Amino acid sequence: MDNVKASWWQNHRPSTRRLVQLYSALLYNAHLKGFIDGEIYVGKTKFACVPGFNCYSCPGAVGACPLGSIQNALASTGNQAGWYVLGIISLFGVILGRTICGWLCPLGLIQELLHKIPTPKIKKSRITRVFTWLKYILLAVFVVALPLWYGLEHNMPLPGFCKYICPAGTFEGAMGLLSNPANTPKFAMLGILFTRKFIIMLGIGLLCIFCYRSFCRFICPLGAIYGFFNRFNVVGVKVDESRCNHCGSCVRSCGMDVRHVGDHECINCGKCMEVCAQKAISIKAGSYTLKAPEGGCADDTERSEASRKHFAKIFWGVALGVLCAALLWFNFLDPTVRKRSAQKPVPTPPAAAATAAPAESSEAAPVPAPAEEVSFESRAPIGYEVGQQLQDFTVSTFDGGEFHLADHRGQIVIINLWGTYCTPCVQELPEFEKLCEEHEGELVILAVHSSMTGELHAG
Protein backbone atom coordinates (compact mmCIF):
# COMPACT_ATOMS: atom_id res chain seq x y z
CA MET A 1 0.00 0.00 0.00
CA ASP A 2 2.82 2.37 0.88
CA ASN A 3 4.47 1.62 -2.45
CA VAL A 4 1.23 2.50 -4.27
CA LYS A 5 0.99 5.83 -2.43
CA ALA A 6 4.63 6.58 -3.12
CA SER A 7 4.15 5.77 -6.80
CA TRP A 8 1.06 8.01 -7.03
CA TRP A 9 2.92 10.88 -5.42
CA GLN A 10 5.88 10.46 -7.74
CA ASN A 11 3.53 10.73 -10.73
CA HIS A 12 1.43 13.65 -9.45
CA ARG A 13 3.69 15.76 -7.28
CA PRO A 14 4.06 19.37 -8.50
CA SER A 15 7.26 20.19 -10.31
CA THR A 16 9.66 22.87 -9.12
CA ARG A 17 8.40 25.16 -11.86
CA ARG A 18 4.78 24.66 -10.83
CA LEU A 19 5.65 25.50 -7.21
CA VAL A 20 7.44 28.67 -8.33
CA GLN A 21 4.42 29.65 -10.46
CA LEU A 22 2.05 29.17 -7.51
CA TYR A 23 4.42 31.05 -5.23
CA SER A 24 4.64 33.99 -7.65
CA ALA A 25 0.86 34.18 -8.06
CA LEU A 26 0.42 34.28 -4.28
CA LEU A 27 3.20 36.82 -3.75
CA TYR A 28 1.84 39.15 -6.44
CA ASN A 29 -1.60 38.91 -4.82
CA ALA A 30 -0.59 38.82 -1.16
CA HIS A 31 -3.42 41.16 -0.12
CA LEU A 32 -5.80 38.27 0.52
CA LYS A 33 -8.02 40.53 2.59
CA GLY A 34 -8.98 42.29 -0.63
CA PHE A 35 -10.87 39.19 -1.79
CA ILE A 36 -12.84 39.24 1.46
CA ASP A 37 -13.59 42.97 1.49
CA GLY A 38 -14.00 43.35 -2.26
CA GLU A 39 -11.54 46.27 -2.41
CA ILE A 40 -8.21 46.73 -4.17
CA TYR A 41 -5.02 47.45 -2.27
CA VAL A 42 -3.90 51.09 -2.47
CA GLY A 43 -0.66 51.04 -0.46
CA LYS A 44 2.70 52.46 -1.51
CA THR A 45 3.93 49.25 -3.18
CA LYS A 46 1.08 49.46 -5.70
CA PHE A 47 3.22 51.74 -7.83
CA ALA A 48 6.01 49.17 -8.15
CA CYS A 49 5.90 46.78 -11.13
CA VAL A 50 5.88 43.03 -10.61
CA PRO A 51 7.70 41.03 -13.32
CA GLY A 52 4.75 38.98 -14.60
CA PHE A 53 1.35 39.71 -16.09
CA ASN A 54 -0.95 40.54 -13.16
CA CYS A 55 -3.83 43.03 -13.16
CA TYR A 56 -3.47 46.17 -11.05
CA SER A 57 -7.19 46.01 -10.20
CA CYS A 58 -7.13 42.47 -8.82
CA PRO A 59 -8.37 42.64 -5.19
CA GLY A 60 -5.20 40.91 -4.01
CA ALA A 61 -2.65 42.71 -6.19
CA VAL A 62 0.10 44.47 -4.23
CA GLY A 63 1.95 45.82 -7.28
CA ALA A 64 1.35 47.18 -10.74
CA CYS A 65 1.21 45.23 -13.98
CA PRO A 66 4.27 46.08 -16.11
CA LEU A 67 2.21 46.19 -19.31
CA GLY A 68 -0.30 48.65 -17.85
CA SER A 69 2.54 50.74 -16.48
CA ILE A 70 4.16 50.93 -19.91
CA GLN A 71 0.93 52.19 -21.46
CA ASN A 72 0.40 54.81 -18.75
CA ALA A 73 4.01 55.94 -19.09
CA LEU A 74 3.64 56.36 -22.85
CA ALA A 75 0.35 58.23 -22.38
CA SER A 76 2.16 60.67 -20.06
CA THR A 77 4.99 61.28 -22.51
CA GLY A 78 3.75 64.81 -23.21
CA ASN A 79 4.23 65.72 -19.54
CA GLN A 80 7.04 63.50 -18.34
CA ALA A 81 9.12 60.58 -19.51
CA GLY A 82 8.39 57.19 -17.95
CA TRP A 83 12.00 56.36 -17.24
CA TYR A 84 11.18 54.25 -14.20
CA VAL A 85 8.89 51.92 -16.12
CA LEU A 86 11.22 51.62 -19.10
CA GLY A 87 14.14 51.02 -16.76
CA ILE A 88 12.46 48.36 -14.64
CA ILE A 89 11.13 46.49 -17.69
CA SER A 90 14.60 46.55 -19.23
CA LEU A 91 16.08 45.27 -15.96
CA PHE A 92 13.57 42.41 -15.82
CA GLY A 93 14.33 41.61 -19.45
CA VAL A 94 18.10 41.61 -19.12
CA ILE A 95 18.06 39.42 -16.01
CA LEU A 96 15.22 37.02 -16.85
CA GLY A 97 13.84 37.60 -20.35
CA ARG A 98 10.96 35.21 -21.08
CA THR A 99 11.92 33.12 -18.07
CA ILE A 100 9.30 35.38 -16.46
CA CYS A 101 6.69 33.94 -18.84
CA GLY A 102 7.58 30.35 -18.02
CA TRP A 103 8.10 30.66 -14.28
CA LEU A 104 6.74 33.91 -12.81
CA CYS A 105 3.50 34.72 -14.66
CA PRO A 106 0.13 33.89 -13.00
CA LEU A 107 -1.65 34.09 -16.35
CA GLY A 108 0.77 31.52 -17.75
CA LEU A 109 -0.12 29.20 -14.87
CA ILE A 110 -3.84 29.60 -15.57
CA GLN A 111 -3.30 28.78 -19.26
CA GLU A 112 -1.36 25.63 -18.45
CA LEU A 113 -4.04 24.42 -16.04
CA LEU A 114 -6.72 25.03 -18.68
CA HIS A 115 -4.69 23.03 -21.19
CA LYS A 116 -4.75 20.03 -18.84
CA ILE A 117 -8.48 19.61 -19.50
CA PRO A 118 -8.69 16.40 -21.56
CA THR A 119 -9.69 17.39 -25.10
CA PRO A 120 -8.21 17.00 -28.58
CA LYS A 121 -5.28 19.40 -28.86
CA ILE A 122 -4.13 21.68 -31.67
CA LYS A 123 -0.54 20.85 -32.54
CA LYS A 124 1.92 23.54 -33.46
CA SER A 125 2.58 24.03 -37.14
CA ARG A 126 3.58 26.64 -39.68
CA ILE A 127 0.17 28.24 -39.21
CA THR A 128 0.60 28.69 -35.45
CA ARG A 129 4.10 30.01 -36.05
CA VAL A 130 2.70 32.71 -38.34
CA PHE A 131 0.14 33.70 -35.70
CA THR A 132 2.93 34.29 -33.16
CA TRP A 133 3.66 37.58 -34.96
CA LEU A 134 0.20 38.85 -33.99
CA LYS A 135 1.43 39.81 -30.52
CA TYR A 136 3.99 42.16 -32.04
CA ILE A 137 1.24 43.89 -34.00
CA LEU A 138 -0.85 44.21 -30.82
CA LEU A 139 2.22 45.58 -29.03
CA ALA A 140 2.77 48.24 -31.69
CA VAL A 141 -0.89 49.30 -31.96
CA PHE A 142 -2.51 48.90 -28.54
CA VAL A 143 0.47 49.28 -26.20
CA VAL A 144 2.53 51.91 -28.04
CA ALA A 145 0.58 53.78 -30.74
CA LEU A 146 -2.81 54.34 -29.02
CA PRO A 147 -1.45 55.51 -25.63
CA LEU A 148 1.10 57.77 -27.34
CA TRP A 149 -1.45 59.31 -29.68
CA TYR A 150 -4.04 59.98 -26.98
CA GLY A 151 -1.37 61.29 -24.63
CA LEU A 152 0.22 63.67 -27.12
CA GLU A 153 -2.87 64.77 -29.06
CA HIS A 154 -5.58 64.71 -26.40
CA ASN A 155 -3.60 64.76 -23.13
CA MET A 156 -5.65 61.77 -21.98
CA PRO A 157 -4.44 58.40 -20.70
CA LEU A 158 -5.70 55.50 -22.77
CA PRO A 159 -4.14 52.11 -21.96
CA GLY A 160 -5.41 50.55 -25.18
CA PHE A 161 -4.57 46.90 -24.50
CA CYS A 162 -5.86 47.01 -20.92
CA LYS A 163 -9.07 48.75 -21.94
CA TYR A 164 -10.02 46.77 -25.02
CA ILE A 165 -8.39 43.32 -24.84
CA CYS A 166 -6.65 42.27 -21.61
CA PRO A 167 -8.21 39.02 -20.27
CA ALA A 168 -6.32 39.41 -16.98
CA GLY A 169 -8.09 42.72 -16.37
CA THR A 170 -11.46 41.06 -16.93
CA PHE A 171 -10.75 37.90 -14.93
CA GLU A 172 -8.61 39.21 -12.07
CA GLY A 173 -9.86 42.78 -11.92
CA ALA A 174 -13.52 42.99 -12.95
CA MET A 175 -14.61 39.46 -12.01
CA GLY A 176 -12.40 39.43 -8.93
CA LEU A 177 -14.21 42.51 -7.63
CA LEU A 178 -17.72 41.75 -8.88
CA SER A 179 -17.69 38.25 -7.38
CA ASN A 180 -17.74 39.85 -3.94
CA PRO A 181 -21.29 40.53 -2.63
CA ALA A 182 -20.14 43.91 -1.33
CA ASN A 183 -19.74 45.08 -4.93
CA THR A 184 -23.15 43.95 -6.18
CA PRO A 185 -24.28 47.58 -6.86
CA LYS A 186 -21.36 47.97 -9.26
CA PHE A 187 -23.02 45.63 -11.72
CA ALA A 188 -24.90 48.74 -12.84
CA MET A 189 -21.62 50.13 -14.18
CA LEU A 190 -21.17 47.31 -16.67
CA GLY A 191 -21.75 48.17 -20.29
CA ILE A 192 -20.86 47.08 -23.79
CA LEU A 193 -17.12 47.50 -23.14
CA PHE A 194 -17.20 44.90 -20.35
CA THR A 195 -19.38 42.60 -22.45
CA ARG A 196 -16.88 42.67 -25.31
CA LYS A 197 -13.94 42.06 -22.99
CA PHE A 198 -15.80 39.25 -21.25
CA ILE A 199 -16.38 37.55 -24.62
CA ILE A 200 -12.70 38.03 -25.51
CA MET A 201 -11.69 36.48 -22.18
CA LEU A 202 -13.94 33.45 -22.73
CA GLY A 203 -12.61 33.06 -26.26
CA ILE A 204 -8.98 33.14 -25.12
CA GLY A 205 -9.71 30.75 -22.26
CA LEU A 206 -11.44 28.32 -24.61
CA LEU A 207 -8.55 28.50 -27.07
CA CYS A 208 -6.08 27.75 -24.28
CA ILE A 209 -7.87 24.47 -23.59
CA PHE A 210 -7.15 23.25 -27.12
CA CYS A 211 -3.94 25.11 -27.89
CA TYR A 212 -1.03 25.30 -25.42
CA ARG A 213 -0.58 28.78 -23.87
CA SER A 214 -2.44 30.51 -26.70
CA PHE A 215 -2.38 33.92 -25.04
CA CYS A 216 1.40 33.79 -24.55
CA ARG A 217 2.04 32.56 -28.07
CA PHE A 218 -0.30 34.77 -30.09
CA ILE A 219 -1.49 37.75 -28.05
CA CYS A 220 0.64 38.79 -25.05
CA PRO A 221 2.55 42.04 -25.75
CA LEU A 222 4.55 41.65 -22.53
CA GLY A 223 5.90 38.34 -23.78
CA ALA A 224 6.79 40.08 -27.04
CA ILE A 225 8.80 42.67 -25.10
CA TYR A 226 10.62 40.11 -22.98
CA GLY A 227 11.32 38.08 -26.13
CA PHE A 228 13.61 40.87 -27.34
CA PHE A 229 15.91 40.15 -24.37
CA ASN A 230 15.95 36.35 -24.69
CA ARG A 231 19.24 36.16 -26.55
CA PHE A 232 21.26 37.75 -23.76
CA ASN A 233 19.23 37.28 -20.55
CA VAL A 234 21.25 36.18 -17.53
CA VAL A 235 18.84 33.51 -16.24
CA GLY A 236 17.40 31.04 -18.73
CA VAL A 237 17.80 27.83 -20.67
CA LYS A 238 21.30 27.42 -22.04
CA VAL A 239 22.65 24.88 -24.53
CA ASP A 240 26.15 23.44 -24.39
CA GLU A 241 26.92 23.64 -28.11
CA SER A 242 29.93 21.35 -27.76
CA ARG A 243 27.64 18.49 -26.72
CA CYS A 244 24.57 19.25 -28.87
CA ASN A 245 24.21 16.91 -31.88
CA HIS A 246 21.33 18.96 -33.37
CA CYS A 247 18.86 16.08 -33.27
CA GLY A 248 15.94 18.51 -32.90
CA SER A 249 14.15 16.60 -30.12
CA CYS A 250 14.15 19.72 -27.94
CA VAL A 251 12.26 21.77 -30.53
CA ARG A 252 9.83 18.95 -31.36
CA SER A 253 8.93 18.41 -27.70
CA CYS A 254 8.39 22.13 -26.98
CA GLY A 255 4.81 23.43 -26.81
CA MET A 256 5.88 26.88 -27.95
CA ASP A 257 6.62 27.86 -31.55
CA VAL A 258 10.38 27.89 -31.14
CA ARG A 259 12.87 27.45 -33.97
CA HIS A 260 15.67 26.73 -31.53
CA VAL A 261 16.13 26.67 -27.76
CA GLY A 262 16.33 30.17 -26.31
CA ASP A 263 14.90 32.13 -29.22
CA HIS A 264 12.28 34.91 -28.82
CA GLU A 265 9.44 32.37 -28.49
CA CYS A 266 11.16 30.26 -25.81
CA ILE A 267 9.72 30.74 -22.29
CA ASN A 268 12.70 28.96 -20.67
CA CYS A 269 10.44 26.43 -18.94
CA GLY A 270 13.13 23.74 -19.12
CA LYS A 271 10.96 20.90 -20.44
CA CYS A 272 13.47 20.33 -23.22
CA MET A 273 16.10 19.27 -20.66
CA GLU A 274 14.39 15.94 -20.06
CA VAL A 275 14.34 14.92 -23.74
CA CYS A 276 17.93 15.84 -24.51
CA ALA A 277 19.88 12.59 -24.74
CA GLN A 278 23.17 14.50 -24.71
CA LYS A 279 22.35 16.30 -21.45
CA ALA A 280 23.42 19.50 -23.16
CA ILE A 281 20.56 21.69 -21.85
CA SER A 282 20.25 23.25 -18.40
CA ILE A 283 18.86 26.35 -16.72
CA LYS A 284 21.64 28.65 -15.66
CA ALA A 285 22.25 32.00 -14.02
CA GLY A 286 25.39 33.07 -15.79
CA SER A 287 27.75 30.12 -15.41
CA TYR A 288 25.98 28.65 -12.35
CA THR A 289 23.56 25.79 -13.04
CA LEU A 290 20.23 26.36 -11.30
CA LYS A 291 18.43 23.31 -12.65
CA ALA A 292 19.86 20.29 -14.42
CA PRO A 293 18.13 17.37 -16.18
CA GLU A 294 17.47 14.18 -14.27
CA GLY A 295 20.80 12.52 -13.67
CA GLY A 296 22.67 15.81 -13.92
CA CYS A 297 24.46 17.66 -16.69
CA ALA A 298 27.17 16.02 -18.72
CA ASP A 299 29.76 18.44 -17.31
CA ASP A 300 28.75 18.01 -13.65
CA THR A 301 31.38 17.37 -10.99
CA GLU A 302 30.93 15.15 -7.94
CA ARG A 303 29.72 18.06 -5.84
CA SER A 304 27.46 19.73 -8.42
CA GLU A 305 24.23 17.97 -7.42
CA ALA A 306 24.90 18.46 -3.69
CA SER A 307 25.59 22.14 -4.32
CA ARG A 308 22.31 22.58 -6.21
CA LYS A 309 20.32 20.87 -3.44
CA HIS A 310 21.97 23.07 -0.83
CA PHE A 311 21.18 26.18 -2.87
CA ALA A 312 17.56 25.02 -3.31
CA LYS A 313 17.09 24.66 0.45
CA ILE A 314 18.44 28.17 1.06
CA PHE A 315 16.31 29.59 -1.76
CA TRP A 316 13.05 28.04 -0.53
CA GLY A 317 13.79 29.01 3.06
CA VAL A 318 14.29 32.65 2.10
CA ALA A 319 11.31 32.57 -0.28
CA LEU A 320 8.92 31.20 2.35
CA GLY A 321 10.16 33.80 4.82
CA VAL A 322 9.49 36.59 2.30
CA LEU A 323 6.02 35.20 1.55
CA CYS A 324 5.06 34.97 5.23
CA ALA A 325 6.30 38.51 5.83
CA ALA A 326 4.37 39.76 2.80
CA LEU A 327 1.13 38.08 3.87
CA LEU A 328 1.49 39.48 7.39
CA TRP A 329 2.27 42.99 6.17
CA PHE A 330 -0.29 43.36 3.39
CA ASN A 331 -3.16 41.89 5.41
CA PHE A 332 -2.55 43.11 8.97
CA LEU A 333 0.40 45.47 9.55
CA ASP A 334 0.25 47.86 6.62
CA PRO A 335 -1.08 51.26 7.88
CA THR A 336 -3.23 51.53 4.74
CA VAL A 337 -4.96 48.24 5.51
CA ARG A 338 -5.34 49.02 9.21
CA LYS A 339 -6.82 52.44 8.48
CA ARG A 340 -9.34 50.99 6.04
CA SER A 341 -10.34 48.28 8.53
CA ALA A 342 -10.89 50.89 11.22
CA GLN A 343 -13.24 52.89 9.00
CA LYS A 344 -16.47 50.99 9.37
CA PRO A 345 -19.34 52.18 7.20
CA VAL A 346 -21.97 54.21 9.03
CA PRO A 347 -25.57 53.35 8.13
CA THR A 348 -27.24 56.25 6.33
CA PRO A 349 -30.96 56.95 6.69
CA PRO A 350 -32.89 57.01 3.38
CA ALA A 351 -33.61 60.74 3.66
CA ALA A 352 -29.90 61.52 3.60
CA ALA A 353 -28.87 58.72 1.26
CA ALA A 354 -28.14 61.07 -1.59
CA THR A 355 -25.55 62.88 0.51
CA ALA A 356 -23.56 59.74 1.31
CA ALA A 357 -22.80 58.33 -2.13
CA PRO A 358 -19.04 58.60 -2.80
CA ALA A 359 -17.81 60.64 -5.70
CA GLU A 360 -16.19 57.62 -7.32
CA SER A 361 -19.40 55.61 -7.15
CA SER A 362 -21.36 54.74 -10.23
CA GLU A 363 -24.40 56.89 -9.49
CA ALA A 364 -24.16 59.79 -7.11
CA ALA A 365 -21.47 62.21 -6.03
CA PRO A 366 -21.63 63.75 -2.55
CA VAL A 367 -24.93 65.64 -2.34
CA PRO A 368 -25.06 67.85 0.77
CA ALA A 369 -28.40 67.97 2.49
CA PRO A 370 -29.74 71.40 3.35
CA ALA A 371 -29.10 72.47 6.90
CA GLU A 372 -32.81 72.95 7.50
CA GLU A 373 -36.07 72.19 5.78
CA VAL A 374 -36.50 74.47 2.76
CA SER A 375 -39.93 75.42 1.55
CA PHE A 376 -39.84 76.70 -2.00
CA GLU A 377 -42.46 76.98 -4.66
CA SER A 378 -41.88 78.06 -8.25
CA ARG A 379 -44.44 79.17 -10.79
CA ALA A 380 -42.02 78.68 -13.67
CA PRO A 381 -43.31 76.36 -16.37
CA ILE A 382 -42.03 72.79 -16.59
CA GLY A 383 -39.34 72.33 -19.24
CA TYR A 384 -35.65 72.27 -20.07
CA GLU A 385 -35.05 75.82 -21.30
CA VAL A 386 -33.61 78.76 -19.38
CA GLY A 387 -36.27 80.17 -17.05
CA GLN A 388 -38.13 76.87 -16.79
CA GLN A 389 -38.07 74.34 -13.97
CA LEU A 390 -37.22 70.69 -14.36
CA GLN A 391 -40.00 68.24 -13.70
CA ASP A 392 -39.61 66.39 -10.44
CA PHE A 393 -37.90 63.00 -10.64
CA THR A 394 -36.60 60.26 -8.39
CA VAL A 395 -33.39 58.28 -8.87
CA SER A 396 -31.92 55.43 -6.82
CA THR A 397 -28.55 56.19 -5.24
CA PHE A 398 -25.55 53.94 -4.90
CA ASP A 399 -26.21 53.11 -1.25
CA GLY A 400 -29.79 51.98 -1.85
CA GLY A 401 -31.54 55.26 -1.02
CA GLU A 402 -33.34 57.67 -3.32
CA PHE A 403 -32.76 61.20 -4.53
CA HIS A 404 -35.89 63.39 -4.96
CA LEU A 405 -35.47 66.61 -6.90
CA ALA A 406 -38.42 68.15 -5.03
CA ASP A 407 -36.47 67.88 -1.77
CA HIS A 408 -33.89 70.34 -3.13
CA ARG A 409 -36.06 73.11 -4.60
CA GLY A 410 -34.42 76.46 -3.92
CA GLN A 411 -30.91 75.07 -4.31
CA ILE A 412 -28.65 74.88 -7.35
CA VAL A 413 -28.86 71.31 -8.65
CA ILE A 414 -26.19 70.05 -11.06
CA ILE A 415 -26.87 66.75 -12.81
CA ASN A 416 -23.62 65.25 -14.09
CA LEU A 417 -24.04 62.38 -16.55
CA TRP A 418 -20.76 60.46 -16.73
CA GLY A 419 -19.22 57.10 -17.63
CA THR A 420 -16.23 55.11 -16.46
CA TYR A 421 -15.10 54.79 -20.08
CA CYS A 422 -14.92 58.59 -20.36
CA THR A 423 -11.51 59.74 -19.10
CA PRO A 424 -12.42 63.46 -18.77
CA CYS A 425 -15.59 62.49 -16.87
CA VAL A 426 -13.54 60.53 -14.35
CA GLN A 427 -10.93 63.31 -14.09
CA GLU A 428 -13.51 65.98 -13.24
CA LEU A 429 -15.25 64.05 -10.44
CA PRO A 430 -12.83 65.32 -7.74
CA GLU A 431 -13.50 68.88 -8.97
CA PHE A 432 -17.24 68.38 -8.55
CA GLU A 433 -16.65 67.04 -5.06
CA LYS A 434 -14.50 70.06 -4.17
CA LEU A 435 -17.13 72.43 -5.56
CA CYS A 436 -19.81 70.71 -3.51
CA GLU A 437 -17.78 71.05 -0.32
CA GLU A 438 -17.12 74.75 -0.94
CA HIS A 439 -20.84 75.50 -1.38
CA GLU A 440 -22.33 73.14 1.15
CA GLY A 441 -26.02 73.78 1.64
CA GLU A 442 -26.27 75.90 -1.51
CA LEU A 443 -25.29 73.41 -4.19
CA VAL A 444 -26.41 69.87 -4.91
CA ILE A 445 -24.55 67.63 -7.37
CA LEU A 446 -26.04 64.41 -8.65
CA ALA A 447 -23.58 62.24 -10.62
CA VAL A 448 -25.46 59.69 -12.69
CA HIS A 449 -23.55 56.94 -14.47
CA SER A 450 -24.49 56.49 -18.13
CA SER A 451 -25.73 52.96 -17.51
CA MET A 452 -28.19 54.25 -14.89
CA THR A 453 -29.85 57.07 -16.84
CA GLY A 454 -32.75 54.79 -17.65
CA GLU A 455 -33.70 54.74 -13.97
CA LEU A 456 -34.52 58.43 -13.88
CA HIS A 457 -38.29 58.75 -13.66
CA ALA A 458 -40.76 61.47 -12.84
CA GLY A 459 -41.95 61.68 -9.25
Side-chain angles (χ1 to χ4, degrees), residues 26-62:
L26 184 55
L27 187 62
Y28 293 173
N29 300 285
H31 182 231
L32 301 180
K33 197 170 183 180
F35 294 99
I36 300 173
D37 299 337
E39 298 177 339
I40 66 172
Y41 175 73
V42 292
K44 293 182 178 180
T45 62
K46 203 60 182 285
F47 299 99
C49 293
V50 298
F53 206 107
N54 194 71
C55 183
Y56 178 96
S57 297
C58 179
V62 297

Side-chain angles (χ1 to χ4, degrees), residues 124 248-256 271-273 275-276:
K124 65 179 182 179
S249 59
C250 51
V251 174
R252 290 192 300 272
S253 66
C254 181
M256 305 296 286
K271 290 182 179 179
C272 53
M273 292 191 304
V275 299
C276 180

Side-chain angles (χ1 to χ4, degrees), residues 287-363:
S287 60
Y288 183 81
T289 301
L290 295 175
K291 185 174 176 58
E294 188 174 353
C297 296
D299 57 351
D300 272 354
T301 63
E302 293 181 359
R303 295 185 56 84
S304 294
E305 186 64 24
S307 175
R308 283 194 291 269
K309 289 182 178 179
H310 180 68
F311 173 81
K313 289 180 180 179
I314 296 175
F315 170 81
W316 281 112
V318 173
L320 290 175
V322 170
L323 180 61
C324 291
L327 292 173
L328 187 63
W329 173 260
F330 290 116
N331 292 284
F332 302 102
L333 301 181
D334 189 333
T336 304
V337 176
R338 295 172 64 182
K339 182 179 179 180
R340 179 176 287 182
S341 299
Q343 294 175 341
K344 296 182 179 180
V346 180
T348 307
T355 70
E360 63 271 22
S361 74
S362 65
E363 296 166 23

